[in-house]
Amino acid sequence: MNALIEQFARIVKNSSDEDIDMLTDYLRNFEKKQQGAFSTYLSASLNMTRKLDEQLSVVSIPNTPFIHNTMAIPHGGILAVLIDTAMGTLANSKCPEGFSAVTTNLSIHYLSVASEASISAHARIIRNGRQTMVIEGNIVQEDGRHIATATGSFFIIPKK
Amino acid sequence: MNALIEQFARIVKNSSDEDIDMLTDYLRNFEKKQQGAFSTYLSASLNMTRKLDEQLSVVSIPNTPFIHNTMAIPHGGILAVLIDTAMGTLANSKCPEGFSAVTTNLSIHYLSVASEASISAHARIIRNGRQTMVIEGNIVQEDGRHIATATGSFFIIPKK
Amino acid sequence: MNALIEQFARIVKNSSDEDIDMLTDYLRNFEKKQQGAFSTYLSASLNMTRKLDEQLSVVSIPNTPFIHNTMAIPHGGILAVLIDTAMGTLANSKCPEGFSAVTTNLSIHYLSVASEASISAHARIIRNGRQTMVIEGNIVQEDGRHIATATGSFFIIPKK
Amino acid sequence: MNALIEQFARIVKNSSDEDIDMLTDYLRNFEKKQQGAFSTYLSASLNMTRKLDEQLSVVSIPNTPFIHNTMAIPHGGILAVLIDTAMGTLANSKCPEGFSAVTTNLSIHYLSVASEASISAHARIIRNGRQTMVIEGNIVQEDGRHIATATGSFFIIPKK
């Protein structure tokens, strides 16, 4: 344990301002996960927040250097994480007791670069079948710019 | 700085064995990034390794709880990160000087749950045009199980 | 020529009621094409009608045995013809003089079986760029049933 | 009946050489369908031929003006018909007795314009599950040019 703390102190000492921001975010969200505010390490790392109602699921993350690719813009795969999470949350909310929904297909069109401080994916159901669902997902900025549009197929299986 | 180290010590004290594993991985890879071994925070967090030759790009990550969803299996979006990175690395390696490739479309079929300790995505070019590329990506396990198959479209733009 | 007419007479003699319906449709639309009402043999065969305004393109065909597969339901590929035509018509209407739009990617989810007498695909623009467009297409029945949803990418090229 | 034959004679009289070619093809294949050589009006119109073995399904059509769009190149939707038919034939050949496979998703990338006299789509299975299948389809010319690549999802349902 002490070795870990020493390593952390050394990392802090060698940190740029951006590194400190990243470490600060990471610790805050890791501690929140320990307190039950996040269900997975991944959602904690991404500082993911979710809203869900009957029709719509919205998942948001801050647009920080943590999710940037080598071109310093949000990694397309992370937008896929965001969209798939919004879709999956909605799909699972529609499953009968004892069943869950797994993604079988995800198709995303990337339209523009996300430039706002927060990125939100909205999901809504296109087809709500007994064994399969088709869900639409979109990332649209507050300023109206359309960042990505996606469709996903989900298969409904008994929970293990 | 001291507040950050105190917070880290508190997190360590409150950690499960799995938490300690996650923190250990995170610090090791964050420090490696400080030493230049990773180009982005995301690739460091995922402990991403890359191989690239004329025909093929391979990107691998360890299969740890960091990438798991609430069902304790690798998040489909993280597989998208992996596949998109393998594709993008290959696409960029084919761009002429002063140009880079951006993903315009990514379509993934999820076939099975990744169960091995390491997950690798392979990308190969289907169409290598002057303005657009189409790339195929696959995640196949060492035991032969096919985890995901994908196609991506890339658009070639002047670097900023 | 006489041989062709003799062959046609023989075919008519050997025809079922359904065959006669198909031949009747075919001749009517072929003759309309000769009179300039259709621009291609394919659109004549499918008896395709189009509506186009600033925002929306609608393409319709009758749901006859001509488009049915071996299960006696509309062939998924023909729905793709319908959707791609609606999208392409809209894309081309947005191209500057001397340019045309070609489909680079088409992704369709089939949701239900089309059961009404007419099938219509609607297309609307999601992203209208200088070099690429992304267009959404849907087939929705008059009774509200959603038959198919699709997205397509178009690339804008100089006309030959 | 006589009215139909008279109409046909009038159409022949007003025909261009290309019209005559189209009518000749249509009658030949319609008559073949009457003799049992084609199972649907659509496959007759397209003059579709199929090969199927354990691993692979191949469906071919001639590249004639019948399938051309307004740019005088094969309509992307018709390539979708071809690919979907190759995939569906293979999928159905793998279904247990009393079940059939329906397309739930089809995603096609168009890579080049088909320029040879015949166009063939090859399909092979990527995932052969009990309830779903994923199939890859490609159109590749004899000269090696890659025309289109596609993936399709199929759902296995009891026959009605």
Side-chain angles (χ1 to χ4, degrees), chain C residues 1 4-5 7-12 14-16 18-20 22-24 26-31 33-34 39-42 45-46 48 50 65-71 73 75-78 80-82 84-85 92 100-111 113 157 160, chain D residues 1 4-5 7-12 14-16 18-20 22-24 26-31 33-34 39-42 45-46 48 50 65-71 73 75-78 80-82 84-85 92 100-111 113 157 160:
Chain C
M1 297 310 132
L4 216 53
I5 294 166
Q7 185 184 15
F8 185 76
R10 188 172 67 234
I11 286 170
V12 167
N14 293 328
S15 281
S16 66
E18 194 175 82
D19 284 356
I20 292 293
M22 292 297 99
L23 293 168
T24 303
Y26 179 78
L27 292 198
R28 187 188 56 245
N29 296 318
F30 199 98
E31 194 158 28
K33 181 179 183 302
Q34 289 186 329
S39 54
T40 64
Y41 295 107
L42 185 62
S45 282
L46 294 169
M48 206 177 253
R50 305 186 195 202
F66 176 64
I67 64 164
H68 290 178
N69 62 19
T70 53
M71 291 184 280
I73 58 174
H75 195 296
I78 293 296
V81 171
L82 198 63
D84 185 46
T85 304
N92 277 293
S100 65
V102 294
T103 316
T104 52
N105 176 253
L106 182 65
S107 178
I108 303 182
H109 292 271
Y110 297 101
L111 308 171
V113 174
I157 55 169
K160 282 175 195 164
Chain D
M1 297 306 136
L4 216 52
I5 294 165
Q7 185 184 15
F8 185 75
R10 188 173 65 235
I11 286 170
V12 166
N14 293 328
S15 281
S16 66
E18 195 176 79
D19 284 356
I20 292 294
M22 293 296 98
L23 293 168
T24 304
Y26 180 78
L27 291 198
R28 188 187 56 244
N29 296 319
F30 199 98
E31 194 157 31
K33 181 179 182 301
Q34 289 185 331
S39 52
T40 64
Y41 294 108
L42 185 63
S45 281
L46 293 169
M48 208 177 252
R50 307 187 192 201
F66 176 63
I67 64 164
H68 289 178
N69 62 20
T70 52
M71 291 185 280
I73 58 174
H75 194 295
I78 293 296
V81 172
L82 197 63
D84 185 45
T85 304
N92 278 293
S100 66
V102 294
T103 316
T104 52
N105 175 254
L106 181 64
S107 178
I108 304 183
H109 291 272
Y110 297 100
L111 309 170
V113 174
I157 54 169
K160 282 173 195 166

Side-chain angles (χ1 to χ4, degrees), chain A residues 1-158:
Chain A
M1 299 307 138
N2 281 346
L4 216 53
I5 295 164
E6 277 167 33
Q7 186 185 13
F8 184 77
R10 188 172 65 234
I11 285 170
V12 167
K13 209 183 62 189
N14 293 329
S15 281
S16 66
D17 287 355
E18 194 175 81
D19 284 356
I20 292 293
D21 287 346
M22 293 297 100
L23 292 168
T24 303
D25 285 355
Y26 179 78
L27 290 199
R28 187 188 55 244
N29 296 318
F30 199 99
E31 194 157 29
K32 279 190 186 170
K33 179 179 184 300
Q34 288 186 331
Q35 294 157 359
F38 294 107
S39 53
T40 63
Y41 294 109
L42 185 63
S43 58
S45 282
L46 293 169
N47 196 10
M48 206 176 253
T49 53
R50 307 186 193 201
K51 275 184 236 171
L52 175 69
D53 65 31
E54 200 63 26
Q55 305 300 328
L56 194 72
S57 159
V58 184
V59 175
S60 305
I61 57 174
N63 186 357
T64 75
F66 176 63
I67 64 165
H68 289 178
N69 62 19
T70 52
M71 291 184 279
I73 59 174
H75 194 295
I78 292 296
L79 302 189
V81 171
L82 197 62
I83 288 170
D84 185 46
T85 304
M87 288 178 168
T89 302
L90 189 61
N92 277 294
S93 77
K94 300 295 183 192
C95 286
E97 187 78 22
F99 287 80
S100 64
V102 295
T103 316
T104 53
N105 176 253
L106 181 64
S107 178
I108 304 182
H109 291 271
Y110 296 101
L111 308 171
S112 311
V113 173
S115 58
E116 294 185 344
S118 175
I119 308 176
S120 294
H122 295 66
R124 70 182 186 86
I125 288 187
I126 300 283
R127 179 183 194 275
N128 189 357
R130 206 172 48 86
Q131 292 188 282
T132 61
M133 290 184 199
V134 176
I135 298 184
E136 184 183 278
N138 284 287
I139 299 178
V140 180
Q141 295 199 147
E142 303 244 315
D143 67 6
R145 192 193 284 185
H146 204 157
I147 305 304
T149 189
T151 48
S153 303
F154 289 79
F155 194 56
I156 298 160
I157 54 169

